[in-house]
mmCIF file of all heavy atoms in Angstrom:
data_model
loop_
_atom_site.group_PDB
_atom_site.id
_atom_site.type_symbol
_atom_site.label_atom_id
_atom_site.label_comp_id
_atom_site.label_asym_id
_atom_site.label_seq_id
_atom_site.Cartn_x
_atom_site.Cartn_y
_atom_site.Cartn_z
ATOM 1 N N LYS A 205 -1.493 5.519 -14.952
ATOM 2 C CA LYS A 205 -2.658 4.986 -14.323
ATOM 3 C C LYS A 205 -2.126 4.641 -12.867
ATOM 4 O O LYS A 205 -1.008 4.224 -12.617
ATOM 5 C CB LYS A 205 -3.040 3.608 -15.021
ATOM 6 C CG LYS A 205 -4.186 2.968 -14.277
ATOM 7 C CD LYS A 205 -4.366 1.539 -15.060
ATOM 8 C CE LYS A 205 -5.417 0.809 -14.316
ATOM 9 N NZ LYS A 205 -5.676 -0.603 -15.039
ATOM 10 N N THR A 206 -3.093 4.877 -11.908
ATOM 11 C CA THR A 206 -2.823 4.592 -10.471
ATOM 12 C C THR A 206 -3.583 3.365 -9.886
ATOM 13 O O THR A 206 -4.704 3.166 -10.363
ATOM 14 C CB THR A 206 -3.133 5.820 -9.672
ATOM 15 O OG1 THR A 206 -4.483 6.135 -9.752
ATOM 16 C CG2 THR A 206 -2.227 7.031 -10.196
ATOM 17 N N ILE A 207 -2.895 2.815 -9.040
ATOM 18 C CA ILE A 207 -3.574 1.650 -8.236
ATOM 19 C C ILE A 207 -3.430 2.276 -6.720
ATOM 20 O O ILE A 207 -2.451 2.138 -6.151
ATOM 21 C CB ILE A 207 -2.874 0.292 -8.415
ATOM 22 C CG1 ILE A 207 -2.842 -0.075 -9.769
ATOM 23 C CG2 ILE A 207 -3.644 -0.749 -7.475
ATOM 24 C CD1 ILE A 207 -1.989 -1.442 -10.053
ATOM 25 N N GLU A 208 -4.515 2.902 -6.239
ATOM 26 C CA GLU A 208 -4.544 3.438 -4.978
ATOM 27 C C GLU A 208 -5.164 2.424 -3.919
ATOM 28 O O GLU A 208 -6.299 2.082 -4.105
ATOM 29 C CB GLU A 208 -5.245 4.640 -4.974
ATOM 30 C CG GLU A 208 -4.634 5.878 -5.751
ATOM 31 C CD GLU A 208 -5.305 7.210 -5.818
ATOM 32 O OE1 GLU A 208 -5.474 7.695 -4.561
ATOM 33 O OE2 GLU A 208 -5.746 7.722 -6.760
ATOM 34 N N ILE A 209 -4.259 1.968 -3.086
ATOM 35 C CA ILE A 209 -4.597 0.827 -2.098
ATOM 36 C C ILE A 209 -5.000 1.450 -0.782
ATOM 37 O O ILE A 209 -4.242 2.247 -0.100
ATOM 38 C CB ILE A 209 -3.428 -0.004 -2.015
ATOM 39 C CG1 ILE A 209 -3.074 -0.646 -3.310
ATOM 40 C CG2 ILE A 209 -3.733 -1.262 -1.007
ATOM 41 C CD1 ILE A 209 -1.808 -1.432 -3.305
ATOM 42 N N PRO A 210 -6.301 1.159 -0.255
ATOM 43 C CA PRO A 210 -6.717 1.809 0.977
ATOM 44 C C PRO A 210 -5.975 1.354 2.147
ATOM 45 O O PRO A 210 -5.662 0.081 2.327
ATOM 46 C CB PRO A 210 -8.204 1.454 1.164
ATOM 47 C CG PRO A 210 -8.558 1.054 -0.423
ATOM 48 C CD PRO A 210 -7.344 0.437 -1.016
ATOM 49 N N LEU A 211 -5.463 2.284 3.064
ATOM 50 C CA LEU A 211 -5.170 1.867 4.334
ATOM 51 C C LEU A 211 -6.218 1.259 5.050
ATOM 52 O O LEU A 211 -7.417 1.544 4.669
ATOM 53 C CB LEU A 211 -4.521 3.093 5.115
ATOM 54 C CG LEU A 211 -3.509 3.912 4.534
ATOM 55 C CD1 LEU A 211 -3.184 5.074 5.458
ATOM 56 C CD2 LEU A 211 -2.234 3.028 4.310
ATOM 57 N N ASN A 212 -6.014 0.407 6.111
ATOM 58 C CA ASN A 212 -7.067 -0.172 6.863
ATOM 59 C C ASN A 212 -7.798 0.867 7.714
ATOM 60 O O ASN A 212 -7.439 2.042 7.737
ATOM 61 C CB ASN A 212 -6.639 -1.338 7.674
ATOM 62 C CG ASN A 212 -5.770 -0.995 8.813
ATOM 63 O OD1 ASN A 212 -5.609 0.083 9.215
ATOM 64 N ND2 ASN A 212 -5.306 -2.181 9.442
ATOM 65 N N ASP A 213 -8.837 0.372 8.535
ATOM 66 C CA ASP A 213 -9.628 1.444 9.248
ATOM 67 C C ASP A 213 -8.672 2.088 10.467
ATOM 68 O O ASP A 213 -9.157 3.139 10.970
ATOM 69 C CB ASP A 213 -10.816 0.774 9.930
ATOM 70 C CG ASP A 213 -11.874 0.283 8.845
ATOM 71 O OD1 ASP A 213 -11.865 0.833 7.900
ATOM 72 O OD2 ASP A 213 -12.730 -0.561 9.222
ATOM 73 N N ASP A 214 -7.620 1.414 10.721
ATOM 74 C CA ASP A 214 -6.689 2.084 11.660
ATOM 75 C C ASP A 214 -5.574 2.910 10.942
ATOM 76 O O ASP A 214 -4.623 3.164 11.702
ATOM 77 C CB ASP A 214 -6.138 1.038 12.662
ATOM 78 C CG ASP A 214 -7.174 0.326 13.388
ATOM 79 O OD1 ASP A 214 -8.081 1.025 13.985
ATOM 80 O OD2 ASP A 214 -7.152 -0.849 13.617
ATOM 81 N N PHE A 215 -5.693 3.135 9.729
ATOM 82 C CA PHE A 215 -4.822 3.918 8.865
ATOM 83 C C PHE A 215 -3.483 3.188 8.761
ATOM 84 O O PHE A 215 -2.397 3.824 8.727
ATOM 85 C CB PHE A 215 -4.563 5.380 9.490
ATOM 86 C CG PHE A 215 -5.977 6.144 9.513
ATOM 87 C CD1 PHE A 215 -6.586 6.334 10.691
ATOM 88 C CD2 PHE A 215 -6.330 6.495 8.324
ATOM 89 C CE1 PHE A 215 -7.754 7.075 10.669
ATOM 90 C CE2 PHE A 215 -7.649 7.292 8.348
ATOM 91 C CZ PHE A 215 -8.192 7.648 9.336
ATOM 92 N N GLU A 216 -3.423 1.834 8.803
ATOM 93 C CA GLU A 216 -2.211 0.999 8.632
ATOM 94 C C GLU A 216 -2.130 0.564 7.239
ATOM 95 O O GLU A 216 -3.163 0.211 6.648
ATOM 96 C CB GLU A 216 -2.216 -0.143 9.578
ATOM 97 C CG GLU A 216 -2.220 0.354 11.056
ATOM 98 C CD GLU A 216 -2.580 -0.907 12.006
ATOM 99 O OE1 GLU A 216 -3.302 -1.749 11.582
ATOM 100 O OE2 GLU A 216 -2.126 -0.766 13.215
ATOM 101 N N LEU A 217 -0.765 0.483 6.789
ATOM 102 C CA LEU A 217 -0.619 -0.183 5.489
ATOM 103 C C LEU A 217 -0.462 -1.583 5.669
ATOM 104 O O LEU A 217 0.232 -2.101 6.534
ATOM 105 C CB LEU A 217 0.615 0.513 4.861
ATOM 106 C CG LEU A 217 1.187 0.020 3.453
ATOM 107 C CD1 LEU A 217 2.001 1.134 2.941
ATOM 108 C CD2 LEU A 217 1.949 -1.188 3.561
ATOM 109 N N ILE A 218 -1.214 -2.421 4.965
ATOM 110 C CA ILE A 218 -1.265 -3.806 5.016
ATOM 111 C C ILE A 218 -0.352 -4.394 3.958
ATOM 112 O O ILE A 218 -0.716 -4.327 2.723
ATOM 113 C CB ILE A 218 -2.654 -4.402 5.050
ATOM 114 C CG1 ILE A 218 -3.504 -3.815 6.108
ATOM 115 C CG2 ILE A 218 -2.621 -5.873 5.180
ATOM 116 C CD1 ILE A 218 -2.925 -3.814 7.485
ATOM 117 N N SER A 219 0.605 -5.139 4.206
ATOM 118 C CA SER A 219 1.629 -5.511 3.169
ATOM 119 C C SER A 219 1.086 -6.518 2.243
ATOM 120 O O SER A 219 1.318 -6.614 1.067
ATOM 121 C CB SER A 219 2.814 -6.202 3.902
ATOM 122 O OG SER A 219 2.524 -7.247 4.638
ATOM 123 N N ASP A 220 0.114 -7.431 2.743
ATOM 124 C CA ASP A 220 -0.521 -8.312 1.834
ATOM 125 C C ASP A 220 -1.162 -7.629 0.651
ATOM 126 O O ASP A 220 -1.434 -8.308 -0.457
ATOM 127 C CB ASP A 220 -1.491 -9.285 2.578
ATOM 128 C CG ASP A 220 -0.735 -10.242 3.488
ATOM 129 O OD1 ASP A 220 0.470 -10.524 3.345
ATOM 130 O OD2 ASP A 220 -1.389 -10.766 4.418
ATOM 131 N N ASP A 221 -1.776 -6.503 0.802
ATOM 132 C CA ASP A 221 -2.408 -5.798 -0.213
ATOM 133 C C ASP A 221 -1.542 -5.317 -1.336
ATOM 134 O O ASP A 221 -2.073 -4.924 -2.380
ATOM 135 C CB ASP A 221 -3.211 -4.484 0.435
ATOM 136 C CG ASP A 221 -4.233 -4.851 1.388
ATOM 137 O OD1 ASP A 221 -4.693 -5.943 1.359
ATOM 138 O OD2 ASP A 221 -4.558 -4.011 2.150
ATOM 139 N N TYR A 222 -0.197 -5.453 -1.084
ATOM 140 C CA TYR A 222 0.763 -5.011 -2.165
ATOM 141 C C TYR A 222 1.484 -6.279 -2.686
ATOM 142 O O TYR A 222 2.486 -5.993 -3.425
ATOM 143 C CB TYR A 222 1.817 -4.135 -1.450
ATOM 144 C CG TYR A 222 1.260 -2.675 -1.038
ATOM 145 C CD1 TYR A 222 0.423 -2.668 0.137
ATOM 146 C CD2 TYR A 222 1.385 -1.591 -1.817
ATOM 147 C CE1 TYR A 222 -0.154 -1.350 0.369
ATOM 148 C CE2 TYR A 222 0.788 -0.418 -1.506
ATOM 149 C CZ TYR A 222 0.072 -0.375 -0.415
ATOM 150 O OH TYR A 222 -0.461 0.781 -0.038
ATOM 151 N N CYS A 223 0.923 -7.435 -2.726
ATOM 152 C CA CYS A 223 1.525 -8.554 -3.308
ATOM 153 C C CYS A 223 0.827 -8.799 -4.666
ATOM 154 O O CYS A 223 -0.270 -9.448 -4.611
ATOM 155 C CB CYS A 223 1.407 -9.696 -2.439
ATOM 156 S SG CYS A 223 2.488 -9.525 -0.927
ATOM 157 N N PHE A 224 1.388 -8.353 -5.691
ATOM 158 C CA PHE A 224 0.655 -8.369 -7.076
ATOM 159 C C PHE A 224 0.958 -9.647 -7.813
ATOM 160 O O PHE A 224 2.153 -10.113 -7.581
ATOM 161 C CB PHE A 224 0.986 -7.136 -7.858
ATOM 162 C CG PHE A 224 0.559 -5.828 -7.315
ATOM 163 C CD1 PHE A 224 1.307 -5.120 -6.490
ATOM 164 C CD2 PHE A 224 -0.791 -5.423 -7.695
ATOM 165 C CE1 PHE A 224 0.813 -3.939 -5.971
ATOM 166 C CE2 PHE A 224 -1.249 -4.206 -7.146
ATOM 167 C CZ PHE A 224 -0.451 -3.446 -6.206
ATOM 168 N N LYS A 225 0.166 -10.039 -8.655
ATOM 169 C CA LYS A 225 0.376 -11.148 -9.605
ATOM 170 C C LYS A 225 1.095 -10.509 -10.839
ATOM 171 O O LYS A 225 0.919 -9.322 -11.018
ATOM 172 C CB LYS A 225 -0.821 -11.889 -9.950
ATOM 173 C CG LYS A 225 -1.538 -12.469 -8.807
ATOM 174 C CD LYS A 225 -2.725 -13.344 -9.345
ATOM 175 C CE LYS A 225 -3.571 -13.902 -8.193
ATOM 176 N NZ LYS A 225 -2.731 -14.881 -7.294
ATOM 177 N N ASP A 226 1.872 -11.355 -11.551
ATOM 178 C CA ASP A 226 2.718 -10.831 -12.573
ATOM 179 C C ASP A 226 1.792 -10.147 -13.694
ATOM 180 O O ASP A 226 2.152 -9.191 -14.263
ATOM 181 C CB ASP A 226 3.418 -11.978 -13.244
ATOM 182 C CG ASP A 226 4.600 -12.447 -12.374
ATOM 183 O OD1 ASP A 226 4.935 -11.828 -11.453
ATOM 184 O OD2 ASP A 226 5.166 -13.485 -12.668
ATOM 185 N N ASP A 227 0.540 -10.734 -13.849
ATOM 186 C CA ASP A 227 -0.202 -10.128 -15.008
ATOM 187 C C ASP A 227 -0.898 -8.753 -14.779
ATOM 188 O O ASP A 227 -1.330 -8.111 -15.643
ATOM 189 C CB ASP A 227 -1.337 -11.171 -15.447
ATOM 190 C CG ASP A 227 -2.205 -11.533 -14.288
ATOM 191 O OD1 ASP A 227 -1.905 -11.106 -13.138
ATOM 192 O OD2 ASP A 227 -3.132 -12.243 -14.488
ATOM 193 N N ASN A 228 -0.848 -8.348 -13.462
ATOM 194 C CA ASN A 228 -1.380 -6.976 -13.049
ATOM 195 C C ASN A 228 -0.324 -6.267 -12.317
ATOM 196 O O ASN A 228 -0.829 -5.276 -11.586
ATOM 197 C CB ASN A 228 -2.687 -7.121 -12.396
ATOM 198 C CG ASN A 228 -2.624 -7.660 -11.055
ATOM 199 O OD1 ASN A 228 -1.750 -8.302 -10.667
ATOM 200 N ND2 ASN A 228 -3.673 -7.488 -10.224
ATOM 201 N N ALA A 229 0.830 -6.506 -12.411
ATOM 202 C CA ALA A 229 1.954 -5.883 -11.523
ATOM 203 C C ALA A 229 2.172 -4.430 -12.092
ATOM 204 O O ALA A 229 2.312 -4.187 -13.262
ATOM 205 C CB ALA A 229 3.169 -6.682 -11.548
ATOM 206 N N PRO A 230 2.290 -3.505 -11.145
ATOM 207 C CA PRO A 230 2.655 -2.092 -11.498
ATOM 208 C C PRO A 230 4.220 -2.116 -11.767
ATOM 209 O O PRO A 230 4.879 -2.864 -11.366
ATOM 210 C CB PRO A 230 2.230 -1.296 -10.250
ATOM 211 C CG PRO A 230 2.425 -2.250 -9.168
ATOM 212 C CD PRO A 230 2.078 -3.652 -9.667
ATOM 213 N N GLY A 231 4.554 -1.027 -12.525
ATOM 214 C CA GLY A 231 5.991 -0.798 -12.768
ATOM 215 C C GLY A 231 6.629 -0.349 -11.494
ATOM 216 O O GLY A 231 7.721 -0.615 -11.253
ATOM 217 N N LEU A 232 5.928 0.412 -10.770
ATOM 218 C CA LEU A 232 6.520 1.047 -9.494
ATOM 219 C C LEU A 232 5.438 0.923 -8.302
ATOM 220 O O LEU A 232 4.256 1.179 -8.558
ATOM 221 C CB LEU A 232 6.812 2.556 -9.703
ATOM 222 C CG LEU A 232 7.264 3.333 -8.607
ATOM 223 C CD1 LEU A 232 8.686 2.894 -8.163
ATOM 224 C CD2 LEU A 232 7.371 4.900 -8.953
ATOM 225 N N ILE A 233 5.999 0.551 -7.148
ATOM 226 C CA ILE A 233 5.346 0.548 -5.926
ATOM 227 C C ILE A 233 6.064 1.586 -4.995
ATOM 228 O O ILE A 233 7.165 1.416 -4.814
ATOM 229 C CB ILE A 233 5.159 -0.811 -5.222
ATOM 230 C CG1 ILE A 233 4.509 -1.811 -6.145
ATOM 231 C CG2 ILE A 233 4.451 -0.619 -3.801
ATOM 232 C CD1 ILE A 233 4.670 -3.332 -5.729
ATOM 233 N N VAL A 234 5.234 2.548 -4.514
ATOM 234 C CA VAL A 234 5.943 3.618 -3.748
ATOM 235 C C VAL A 234 5.050 3.904 -2.489
ATOM 236 O O VAL A 234 3.813 3.954 -2.478
ATOM 237 C CB VAL A 234 6.135 4.874 -4.474
ATOM 238 C CG1 VAL A 234 4.861 5.408 -5.039
ATOM 239 C CG2 VAL A 234 6.900 5.932 -3.686
ATOM 240 N N PHE A 235 5.660 3.947 -1.287
ATOM 241 C CA PHE A 235 5.006 4.295 -0.053
ATOM 242 C C PHE A 235 6.032 4.885 0.859
ATOM 243 O O PHE A 235 7.201 4.638 0.843
ATOM 244 C CB PHE A 235 4.419 3.092 0.645
ATOM 245 C CG PHE A 235 5.350 1.925 0.849
ATOM 246 C CD1 PHE A 235 5.970 1.750 2.035
ATOM 247 C CD2 PHE A 235 5.441 0.975 -0.143
ATOM 248 C CE1 PHE A 235 6.838 0.796 2.295
ATOM 249 C CE2 PHE A 235 6.356 -0.146 0.147
ATOM 250 C CZ PHE A 235 7.077 -0.156 1.317
ATOM 251 N N ALA A 236 5.536 5.860 1.681
ATOM 252 C CA ALA A 236 6.328 6.515 2.711
ATOM 253 C C ALA A 236 6.351 5.710 4.002
ATOM 254 O O ALA A 236 5.308 5.113 4.389
ATOM 255 C CB ALA A 236 5.769 7.888 3.040
ATOM 256 N N ASN A 237 7.548 5.488 4.646
ATOM 257 C CA ASN A 237 7.565 4.684 5.792
ATOM 258 C C ASN A 237 8.697 5.298 6.699
ATOM 259 O O ASN A 237 9.807 5.309 6.394
ATOM 260 C CB ASN A 237 8.191 3.327 5.485
ATOM 261 C CG ASN A 237 8.001 2.369 6.699
ATOM 262 O OD1 ASN A 237 6.911 2.463 7.398
ATOM 263 N ND2 ASN A 237 8.904 1.492 6.898
ATOM 264 N N PRO A 238 8.250 5.872 7.805
ATOM 265 C CA PRO A 238 6.795 6.181 8.323
ATOM 266 C C PRO A 238 5.948 6.886 7.267
ATOM 267 O O PRO A 238 6.436 7.689 6.563
ATOM 268 C CB PRO A 238 6.970 6.897 9.738
ATOM 269 C CG PRO A 238 8.391 6.646 10.112
ATOM 270 C CD PRO A 238 9.209 6.465 8.758
ATOM 271 N N ASN A 239 4.714 6.556 7.389
ATOM 272 C CA ASN A 239 3.744 7.124 6.361
ATOM 273 C C ASN A 239 3.423 8.669 6.675
ATOM 274 O O ASN A 239 3.560 9.070 7.924
ATOM 275 C CB ASN A 239 2.416 6.371 6.342
ATOM 276 C CG ASN A 239 1.609 6.629 5.097
ATOM 277 O OD1 ASN A 239 2.139 7.141 4.185
ATOM 278 N ND2 ASN A 239 0.467 6.313 5.164
ATOM 279 N N ALA A 240 3.049 9.369 5.767
ATOM 280 C CA ALA A 240 2.650 10.678 5.930
ATOM 281 C C ALA A 240 1.219 10.759 5.281
ATOM 282 O O ALA A 240 1.023 10.227 4.205
ATOM 283 C CB ALA A 240 3.533 11.746 5.235
ATOM 284 N N PRO A 241 0.191 11.398 6.032
ATOM 285 C CA PRO A 241 0.351 12.179 7.258
ATOM 286 C C PRO A 241 0.121 11.541 8.504
ATOM 287 O O PRO A 241 -0.048 12.073 9.569
ATOM 288 C CB PRO A 241 -0.712 13.260 6.994
ATOM 289 C CG PRO A 241 -1.810 12.473 6.288
ATOM 290 C CD PRO A 241 -1.083 11.433 5.366
ATOM 291 N N THR A 242 0.063 10.072 8.496
ATOM 292 C CA THR A 242 -0.374 9.312 9.698
ATOM 293 C C THR A 242 0.757 9.175 10.597
ATOM 294 O O THR A 242 0.507 9.030 11.774
ATOM 295 C CB THR A 242 -0.935 7.934 9.339
ATOM 296 O OG1 THR A 242 0.171 7.079 8.736
ATOM 297 C CG2 THR A 242 -1.973 7.977 8.310
ATOM 298 N N GLY A 243 1.998 9.105 10.226
ATOM 299 C CA GLY A 243 3.150 8.899 11.006
ATOM 300 C C GLY A 243 3.382 7.303 11.349
ATOM 301 O O GLY A 243 4.334 7.064 12.093
ATOM 302 N N ILE A 244 2.533 6.593 10.959
ATOM 303 C CA ILE A 244 2.574 5.097 11.417
ATOM 304 C C ILE A 244 3.625 4.353 10.497
ATOM 305 O O ILE A 244 3.745 4.640 9.216
ATOM 306 C CB ILE A 244 1.205 4.368 11.176
ATOM 307 C CG1 ILE A 244 0.190 5.054 12.102
ATOM 308 C CG2 ILE A 244 1.282 2.922 11.440
ATOM 309 C CD1 ILE A 244 -1.276 4.644 11.903
ATOM 310 N N ALA A 245 4.439 3.621 11.122
ATOM 311 C CA ALA A 245 5.519 2.852 10.421
ATOM 312 C C ALA A 245 5.340 1.384 10.198
ATOM 313 O O ALA A 245 4.672 0.788 11.057
ATOM 314 C CB ALA A 245 6.882 3.100 11.318
ATOM 315 N N LEU A 246 5.831 0.918 9.152
ATOM 316 C CA LEU A 246 5.685 -0.426 8.737
ATOM 317 C C LEU A 246 6.886 -1.143 9.290
ATOM 318 O O LEU A 246 8.054 -0.558 9.045
ATOM 319 C CB LEU A 246 5.520 -0.564 7.335
ATOM 320 C CG LEU A 246 4.929 -1.849 6.671
ATOM 321 C CD1 LEU A 246 3.615 -2.234 7.218
ATOM 322 C CD2 LEU A 246 5.077 -1.852 5.218
#
C-alpha cells in the first residue's frame, strides 16, 4: 500500500506532510534529495 504525498504547487517537498502519527505510520518513508525529476533539494 502506498501513501503518495503531493509536492506543493512549486514542486517542493514539505517536511510537515511527512510527520505521521503512530497509528498510521508507514514502515518506510523514502524520498530523493535532491528530488527527481524536479532537482529541488530539501
Side-chain angles (χ1 to χ4, degrees):
K205 179 183 176 183
T206 62
I207 302 170
E208 295 186 54
I209 303 172
L211 301 179
N212 70 10
D213 290 342
D214 295 319
F215 299 106
E216 298 167 333
L217 186 153
I218 305 301
S219 58
D220 287 343
D221 294 341
Y222 290 78
C223 296
F224 293 91
K225 297 185 183 299
D226 288 349
D227 57 354
N228 69 342
L232 178 67
I233 299 168
V234 58
F235 55 91
N237 192 43
N239 195 19
T242 66
I244 297 172
L246 198 62

